[in-house]
Amino acid sequence: TFLEKKMIQKHLLRGNPDVVVIWELTTDEDIEFAKNMSNTWHTVIGTMHTESTTEMRTRLESEKINYDSFIQ
């Protein structure tokens, strides 16, 4: 749930890791969590299983994430 992810994020930030690995970005909450972690200057690595890059771009843009800045 969202509250659990907020607690995880809080504990991750206390440990001050350089890299955060999120197994799979399956929900909008997962994408939001990855975005929040990247906003704290952490490198975030995750996978997103979609049928095409167009579908991935649509999912990211629905979360108001600039596709070009997200993919590096």
Side-chain angles (χ1 to χ4, degrees):
T1 66
F2 181 74
L3 183 57
E4 290 170 341
K5 289 185 178 166
K6 279 297 203 185
M7 289 175 55
I8 291 169
Q9 183 176 355
K10 179 180 173 182
H11 290 288
L12 279 172
L13 290 174
R14 282 187 184 159
N16 197 23
D18 294 326
V19 178
V20 176
V21 178
I22 301 171
W23 186 254
E24 186 176 357
L25 302 169
T26 56
T27 65
D28 292 344
E29 284 181 352
D30 295 336
I31 295 170
E32 183 69 23
F33 180 76
K35 185 171 76 171
N36 288 341
M37 290 304 293
S38 68
N39 286 339
T40 59
W41 298 98
H42 291 82
T43 300
V44 179
I45 299 171
T47 61
M48 183 180 291
H49 300 272
T50 59
E51 295 293 322
S52 66
T53 54
T54 304
E55 184 182 340
M56 181 179 64
R57 177 177 231 143
T58 301
R59 284 183 61 194
L60 291 174
E61 289 175 351
S62 73
E63 284 295 315
K64 309 227 179 334
I65 297 172
N66 181 335
Y67 173 82
D68 295 323
S69 67
F70 191 79
I71 305 300
Q72 294 184 16

